[in-house]
Amino acid sequence: MSSELNLNLDNSDEKPSSKSLFRKILSGLGAALLLIPRKARIVITIVGVTFAIMALLTALQPQAEKRAIPETVVKVDVIEVAPSDYPIIVATNGTIQADTRGNLVSQIRGEIVRVSDKFRTGGSFKKGEVLAEVDQRDYLAARSQALAAVSQAKANYRQEVANAKQATRDWERLGNTGSAPDLVARKPQLAAAKAQLESAEANLETAKLNLERTYITAPYTGRIIQRQAVLGQYVSIGSVLAEVFATEGVELRLPLSQDEFSQLGLDSLSNDQFNNQFAVTLSTQVGSQRYFWDANVTRTDSTFDLNTRQIDVIATVKDPFSSAGNKPPLKIGQFVNANIQGRTVESAMVVPNKALREGNYVFVSQDQRLERRPVTVIWQDDQNALIESGLNAGDLVVTTSLNSTLAGAKVKFSDSLSTEPAEALAENPNAEDSPEPNIAPELNASSDTGEIPAQAQNDLKQTEQALEQQLEDVINETSGTSPNGASEGGQVAEPPLTEPLPEEAAVEPVNETVLQNESGGTTDSGNAAIQN
């Protein structure tokens, strides 16, 4: 035993080699694995192999070539702004109304015994024309009685005049000096006779007037809206015979907001200061033809409507019923569009509405770069906007619809405003029509279809096949099996080095800018790279 101990001591002095140390570690690991249950060993083995494969794939992953992203170029249309005088025109609408409209009523009682052919709904008449006639017999009798009363009153008055003169002579014949008293001179009796005569004459005038009123005449030239009395109907004083309107002139009420009312310059004028200085153009569509009429603002309402918060201006139409130029006459109640021309803004910067973004800024081309410029709008109609501040004469305002995130991008002018050399346009004639001018030249041939070039597809397929073969080799070697299926004694062979990827396998990045279209769609910009 002592000899064995000495042998062990002698051996302990020797330094263990790396191979023996590795064997001891493996034997220790093997002994430790034997202590672990069989199912747990299987799980640990699978997890270890999985992590080994993942680490191997990560180490063998090809690196894509990094290239600089091409700069985004935006193709735009621009206009050069300059100060100009711009008349403010407000678009509104209204309904044609008669300047004079009312009811035709009877002023006497009686039965309608005759009517005119024009006394019907829609009929036209002239001023003073008889439309209907009421039975006159009662009024003829009343006139005769009034004539008789006048004759009797005249006779009484002449009698009193003679009696007064006789009384005065009698007073003087009796030797009385001075003027005779009123009672002696019969002045009260003379005044009563005179008053009675005047009353009889007034009754006669009333009888004549009532007789004239049996003829229902037109008060003005116009048309009948609705007839409410017919032949044989008994009417009394105040009975409505028809609803009529005058055709001498029509007007319409045009509602305006407070801002429109002020911008037109109407708030500083009173109704007696208009003098037809605010012209109005009326229009309406009849079939496929549009007709126009001229009008003038003559007055305004004194207050705003509490419900609509608008104020009405009243315009009078010139020659509303004229048929010159085969133009149909206006109809009462007809709906028309109106354009009111107000004051003229001097030295205003005018831009189209499509150039205005969110109502408070525009894009300006500054040194071939998109610049977002805040502006102040003082007036805007259906087509243009008047800029009070924010723009200078000569600024190039972009009219193309763009996304707000493109501020700072490089711009390219389209058509005649393009700043590119003619040679560049000649080389790429379709560049003007392309909505994506900044596509990488490597994929330009297939940019129309959105597909990868054929050469790149072949390279990708070869790379995928190489990776699949390498992965299969790694799995076989890890499980201790050669690629031919032969066992190598349980030893794991080192995986062969992966062949380098061909340079053509990595597709160069594509910078793709999608601009907002003219219909107002959204825009995005991004970079896409195909890597393997």
Side-chain angles (χ1 to χ4, degrees):
M1 178 175 291
S2 60
S3 61
E4 294 178 359
L5 181 61
N6 292 334
L7 183 59
N8 291 335
L9 291 175
D10 294 340
N11 292 336
S12 62
D13 293 338
E14 298 179 359
K15 292 182 179 180
S17 62
S18 59
K19 183 179 294 186
S20 61
L21 182 60
F22 181 71
R23 290 177 179 176
K24 289 181 180 181
I25 293 174
L26 288 179
S27 61
L29 291 175
L33 289 174
L34 292 176
L35 298 177
I36 300 175
R38 184 172 179 274
K39 293 183 178 181
R41 289 199 305 270
I42 295 175
V43 173
I44 293 175
T45 303
I46 294 175
V47 172
V49 172
T50 302
F51 276 105
I53 294 175
M54 292 176 61
L56 193 59
L57 291 177
T58 303
L60 298 177
Q61 180 181 4
Q63 299 295 328
E65 182 182 357
K66 296 183 179 180
R67 300 187 59 185
I69 299 175
E71 184 178 12
T72 301
V73 179
V74 183
K75 178 182 175 182
V76 297
D77 296 325
V78 297
I79 60 170
E80 182 178 359
V81 296
S84 61
D85 296 341
Y86 191 86
I88 292 180
I89 299 177
V90 175
T92 181
N93 50 65
T95 303
I96 298 297
Q97 300 176 356
D99 188 14
T100 303
R101 177 175 178 171
N103 294 326
L104 187 65
V105 299
S106 174
Q107 295 178 291
I108 58 173
R109 297 181 179 88
E111 180 185 356
I112 297 178
V113 295
R114 189 173 64 88
V115 295
S116 171
D117 294 338
K118 300 178 180 179
F119 187 68
R120 60 186 62 192
T121 301
S124 301
F125 51 82
K126 301 292 184 179
K127 182 178 180 179
E129 188 173 356
V130 177
L131 301 178
E133 183 178 346
V134 179
D135 189 2
Q136 299 181 346
R137 290 175 294 180
D138 293 340
Y139 300 98
L140 289 172
R143 186 185 63 175
S144 299
Q145 293 175 357
L147 286 172
V150 168
S151 299
Q152 183 65 34
K154 285 182 178 179
N156 293 337
Y157 179 70
R158 288 195 293 266
Q159 181 64 39
E160 286 297 329
V161 171
N163 293 337
K165 291 180 179 180
Q166 184 61 41
T168 301
R169 287 195 295 267
D170 292 341
W171 172 267
E172 293 175 354
R173 190 172 57 250
L174 294 173
N176 296 322
T177 60
S179 299
D182 292 343
L183 291 176
V184 175
R186 298 184 64 86
K187 289 183 178 180
Q189 292 82 352
L190 182 60
K194 185 178 181 182
Q196 200 171 28
L197 175 60
E198 292 175 351
S199 177
E201 290 176 346
N203 291 333
L204 178 59
E205 293 297 327
T206 301
K208 291 180 179 179
L209 184 58
N210 288 335
L211 184 60
E212 292 177 0
R213 287 172 177 171
T214 57
Y215 297 99
I216 310 299
T217 58
Y220 42 72
T221 300
R223 299 187 66 180
I224 297 176
I225 300 175
Q226 183 179 7
R227 186 182 66 175
Q228 300 183 7
V230 294
L231 181 66
Q233 181 177 340
Y234 182 86
V235 296
S236 58
I237 298 176
S239 297
V240 177
L241 304 181
E243 185 179 4
V244 297
F245 69 92
T247 57
E248 297 175 354
V250 297
E251 63 183 18
L252 70 161
R253 306 178 70 88
L254 303 173
L256 299 176
S257 65
Q258 185 173 0
D259 182 59
E260 294 171 340
F261 188 78
S262 177
Q263 290 292 348
L264 285 174
L266 296 171
D267 54 349
S268 60
L269 299 177
S270 59
N271 285 336
D272 57 350
Q273 295 177 332
F274 284 102
N275 297 325
N276 296 330
Q277 60 178 317
F278 294 97
V280 181
T281 301
L282 307 180
S283 64
T284 187
Q285 188 80 21
V286 180
S288 60
Q289 186 72 27
R290 179 166 289 274
Y291 300 97
F292 298 90
W293 292 267
D294 294 328
N296 292 103
V297 176
T298 55
R299 65 187 187 278
T300 67
D301 276 351
S302 58
T303 58
F304 280 85
D305 189 278
L306 296 178
N307 296 324
T308 63
R309 299 299 178 184
Q310 292 180 323
I311 189 171
D312 290 345
V313 298
I314 293 87
T316 301
V317 186
K318 302 176 182 177
D319 298 329
F321 304 106
S322 174
S323 58
N326 296 326
K327 180 171 58 177
L330 286 172
K331 301 292 189 298
I332 301 300
Q334 183 176 354
F335 182 84
V336 295
N337 297 317
N339 290 327
I340 306 176
Q341 183 171 345
R343 65 186 180 93
T344 300
V345 180
E346 299 179 354
S347 301
M349 298 292 183
V350 183
V351 298
N353 285 337
K354 63 181 180 180
L356 191 63
R357 324 283 173 167
E358 300 179 6
N360 54 16
Y361 75 92
V362 296
F363 275 127
V364 177
S365 176
Q366 187 71 26
D367 299 331
Q368 297 293 313
R369 295 282 179 180
L370 279 180
E371 178 182 339
R372 179 169 171 166
R373 188 80 61 83
V375 295
T376 302
V377 180
I378 60 174
W379 174 253
Q380 186 175 8
D381 53 26
D382 294 338
Q383 297 179 350
N384 301 316
L386 273 63
I387 306 302
E388 182 179 21
S389 61
L391 291 179
N392 300 318
D395 284 344
L396 298 179
V397 178
V398 177
T399 59
T400 305
S401 181
L402 300 175
N403 192 296
S404 60
T405 59
L406 293 175
K410 188 176 180 180
V411 298
K412 169 188 173 184
F413 298 147
S414 61
D415 301 333
S416 60
L417 294 177
S418 177
T419 57
E420 291 188 1
E423 294 79 8
L425 294 177
E427 293 177 359
N428 189 10
N430 295 326
E432 294 294 331
D433 300 329
S434 175
E436 300 176 356
N438 59 332
I439 294 179
E442 292 79 5
L443 298 181
N444 191 31
S446 60
S447 61
D448 295 336
T449 61
E451 299 179 354
I452 301 175
Q455 182 62 34
Q457 291 180 353
N458 295 333
D459 295 338
L460 288 175
K461 184 178 294 185
Q462 294 176 4
T463 304
E464 290 176 356
Q465 294 176 355
L467 289 175
E468 290 177 357
Q469 183 64 36
Q470 293 172 6
L471 181 60
E472 183 178 356
D473 294 343
V474 170
I475 295 174
N476 293 334
E477 292 170 357
T478 304
S479 59
T481 307
S482 65
N484 297 326
S487 174
E488 297 182 357
Q491 295 182 358
V492 179
E494 294 181 0
L497 296 177
T498 306
E499 296 181 1
L501 294 176
E503 295 181 359
E504 296 82 6
V507 181
E508 296 181 353
V510 182
N511 176 265
E512 185 174 348
T513 302
V514 183
L515 301 182
Q516 184 180 13
N517 54 29
E518 291 298 330
S519 62
T522 58
T523 62
D524 295 311
S525 61
N527 301 321
I530 303 175
Q531 302 176 354
N532 288 290

